[in-house]
Amino acid sequence: MTSQIEKNFEHANKQYQELGVDPNKAMEILKEISISIHCWQGDDVGGFEKPGAKLSGGGIQVTGNYLGKARTIDELQSDLLKAVSLIPGSHRINLQASYGDFGKKFVERDEITIEHYQNWIDWSKRNNLKLDFNSTLFSHPKANDGFTLSNNSKKIREFWIEHVLRCRKISSEIGKQLNDSCIHNLWIPDGSKDIPVDRAGRRLLLKNSLDEIYSDKFPASHMKDSLEGKLFGLGSEAFVVGSHYFYLSYSIKNNIMLTLDTGHFHPTESVADKVSAILPFISGIVFHISRGIRWDSDHVVILNDQIIQIAEEIIRSKSLDKIHIMLDFFDASINRVGAWVIGARATLKSLLYALLQPWDLLLKYERENKYFQRLAYLEELKTLPFGSIWDYYCLKNDVPVSTKWIESIEDYEKEVLSKRV
Ligand code: RNT
Ligand code: ZN
């Protein structure tokens, strides 16, 4: 029997076909896109170095105290699997170094090895997931004065260099074991609250630290590097050592990818516009999809103009092999597992929306300088039955359709999360 969802799809399919768009093709492409789901939404960027660890320092903040935060690796893995079961497609999990399996003892960041992440690798294999990795240079006493790789103290710089060297090696081992290149992303909190006099000195220190870090080479089939800059952070309002321009220059010169976090720019700056400006010169772009409200607030991603414009530029670039989509938000004021699902589904929806555009037609009008027609079509596309294609995609990929997944999160909260006290 044909379900209502299938009937709706048939109807929508016709409308898109009339415009020269093939929704089946769009769904095929979408299925091949994996997004990297950030582990840190599950426990407010706490990690497992010490029991009850809290995010501290680094100018990022998690607000809220909703019940059910994951306290152990087992809990976090169970929460992640719950989220993944409600997101269509096959995806990746993005880890921080601070989320290792350290047993009962404390392991310093310059002592971590692959054995601390074996648990995650085995879990990923069992669940058909892939992994990405991040060095963790915040929430640590050696980051307390606001500087890590650009610290004035040689000893502190060396400590962090050793940490990142180990993280890159671990990433390479992860990629090798999972037979899929692991992306290692580096973000550092370095910066100052007030106006510094020696910006150049700090940037030179950072450059030298990075040169040492990236002198170690790994096969691209095992790991790839990316660098993430920022405009400002809480406590680094006047100066951020690793700014966008700094890393843009460094990445291009050293054949490293660049991470664009959508919360790390001026609120009116278009991150979507950067794709075509950077792509011809760089080995790859990593997106940290986030939603800033007034500042880098890391709100849960929703289907808004900003994310649609980014998805459009990603799809139009026809360079999906060079673009990696990761999520980066943290909200502790609502059900954390539900937050993952909202953000991941919104990101996938934006990509599907972009894939359903009549590119040939729009391009034709643009080339003929027919800007009225271009604008009119773009506007009419907004009210085409996009939701019917999305629902059908969810149905085909065995995840709950439309609002149905919300109940599933409510049940999980009742049965699992609310018991974590
Ligand atoms: C911070 C950066 C960074 C972090 C994670 C936890 O502003 O966005 O990516 O969010 O490493
Ligand atoms: Zn980020």
Side-chain angles (χ1 to χ4, degrees):
M1 208 186 77
T2 327
S3 69
Q4 192 57 46
I5 295 159
E6 287 165 298
K7 278 187 204 145
N8 291 348
F9 172 75
E10 281 317 319
H11 176 73
N13 188 30
K14 255 190 222 127
Q15 272 182 276
Y16 280 103
Q17 297 279 2
E18 274 164 27
L19 288 174
V21 176
D22 181 358
N24 281 304
K25 182 93 198 42
M27 291 188 294
E28 245 170 61
I29 298 172
L30 185 61
K31 197 147 186 224
E32 294 300 310
I33 305 179
S34 290
I35 53 182
S36 196
I37 301 168
H38 56 316
C39 72
W40 53 92
Q41 158 61 29
D43 75 333
D44 316 338
V45 207
F48 304 123
E49 290 176 311
K50 292 177 188 152
K54 272 203 173 71
L55 168 68
S56 70
I60 45 180
Q61 248 206 348
V62 184
T63 50
N65 192 23
Y66 199 78
L67 63 85
K69 157 177 159 170
R71 299 157 303 178
T72 61
I73 292 202
D74 285 352
E75 288 181 353
L76 188 61
Q77 289 177 346
S78 134
D79 293 356
L80 278 164
L81 289 182
K82 180 72 210 175
V84 163
S85 76
L86 303 171
I87 302 166
S90 54
H91 302 290
R92 315 171 65 84
I93 303 297
N94 200 6
L95 294 180
Q96 288 274 343
S98 53
Y99 284 71
D101 184 4
F102 304 114
K104 294 226 174 336
K105 70 175 202 304
F106 176 72
V107 180
E108 238 329 337
R109 301 235 178 124
D110 63 348
E111 285 166 359
I112 52 169
T113 61
I114 187 65
E115 72 185 76
H116 302 117
Y117 304 91
Q118 198 57 48
N119 175 325
W120 281 106
I121 298 173
D122 297 341
W123 173 80
S124 300
K125 270 192 196 152
R126 284 198 302 279
N127 295 290
N128 207 12
L129 292 160
K130 307 293 181 199
L131 292 175
D132 294 310
F133 202 76
N134 296 261
S135 292
T136 311
L137 290 90
F138 49 87
S139 298
H140 192 280
K142 285 197 167 61
N144 275 353
D145 73 347
F147 296 95
T148 61
L149 294 175
S150 69
N151 203 293
N152 287 320
S153 145
K154 186 161 186 268
K155 261 189 106 168
I156 293 185
R157 287 199 309 276
E158 279 170 354
F159 171 86
W160 288 116
I161 290 171
E162 180 62 27
H163 172 66
V164 184
L165 281 168
R166 282 169 182 258
C167 286
R168 295 186 62 236
K169 201 164 166 203
I170 289 164
S171 303
S172 173
E173 184 60 31
I174 290 175
K176 187 175 164 198
Q177 287 198 41
L178 293 178
N179 208 6
D180 193 283
S181 189
C182 169
I183 294 177
H184 169 262
N185 180 59
L186 177 62
W187 171 77
I188 61 168
D190 299 31
S192 65
K193 182 184 173 86
D194 227 325
I195 307 157
V197 293
D198 188 15
R199 293 172 189 260
R202 290 287 185 189
R203 290 193 166 128
L204 192 60
L205 287 175
L206 177 55
K207 181 194 170 290
N208 291 339
S209 295
L210 295 177
D211 287 349
E212 213 174 313
I213 285 167
Y214 296 114
S215 66
D216 230 358
K217 303 288 177 208
F218 299 97
S221 55
H222 294 173
M223 73 89 71
K224 286 186 198 124
D225 283 293
S226 195
L227 276 165
E228 179 181 8
K230 192 164 180 166
L231 178 64
F232 82 99
L234 297 175
S236 60
E237 289 84 353
F239 175 54
V240 167
V241 188
S243 63
H244 176 60
Y245 287 104
F246 180 91
Y247 286 136
L248 177 62
S249 315
Y250 194 92
S251 306
I252 291 172
K253 182 146 194 267
N254 296 284
N255 201 26
I256 289 170
M257 299 192 291
L258 186 73
T259 300
L260 300 176
D261 184 309
T262 56
H264 288 192
F265 296 88
H266 286 284
T268 55
E269 198 173 344
S270 164
V271 182
D273 180 63
K274 300 183 193 305
V275 178
S276 57
I278 298 174
L279 210 53
F281 310 103
I282 205 151
S283 60
I285 296 178
V286 172
F287 269 100
H288 269 195
I289 305 286
S290 185
R291 175 169 51 114
I293 294 195
R294 301 191 191 282
W295 64 288
D296 178 31
S297 62
D298 295 295
H299 278 65
V300 180
V301 170
I302 55 170
L303 189 64
N304 59 11
D305 284 352
Q306 190 198 25
I307 188 172
I308 288 175
Q309 282 160 13
I310 289 171
E312 287 171 345
E313 285 306 307
I314 292 177
I315 297 303
R316 291 168 185 168
S317 76
K318 299 195 166 51
S319 304
L320 280 168
D321 54 326
K322 279 175 81 181
I323 299 179
H324 307 274
I325 305 167
M326 305 187 170
L327 305 178
D328 184 11
F329 50 80
F330 18 95
D331 190 338
S333 72
I334 58 174
N335 182 301
R336 293 173 184 77
V337 186
W340 265 321
V341 183
I342 295 174
R345 285 176 71 119
T347 304
L348 291 169
K349 278 181 202 163
S350 72
L351 291 163
L352 181 61
Y353 183 84
L355 284 163
L356 288 169
Q357 295 190 348
W359 172 247
D360 291 338
L361 187 69
L362 294 168
L363 196 61
K364 177 175 148 313
Y365 286 132
E366 183 160 292
R367 296 213 167 133
E368 291 167 359
N369 294 351
K370 291 187 171 165
Y371 299 143
F372 147 70
Q373 287 87 337
R374 181 185 63 186
L375 186 61
Y377 270 98
L378 283 171
E379 200 53 20
E380 287 305 320
L381 286 174
K382 293 179 182 166
T383 46
L384 283 190
F386 159 73
S388 301
I389 313 279
W390 168 252
D391 285 350
Y392 186 70
Y393 183 70
C394 290
L395 180 78
K396 287 277 150 206
N397 285 280
D398 298 317
V399 301
V401 173
S402 182
T403 55
K404 291 280 178 289
W405 66 273
I406 302 170
E407 286 159 36
S408 172
I409 292 286
E410 285 171 340
D411 292 345
Y412 190 72
E413 177 169 317
K414 208 180 309 146
E415 282 150 30
V416 181
L417 300 179
S418 65
K419 299 194 174 130
R420 290 180 191 163
V421 277

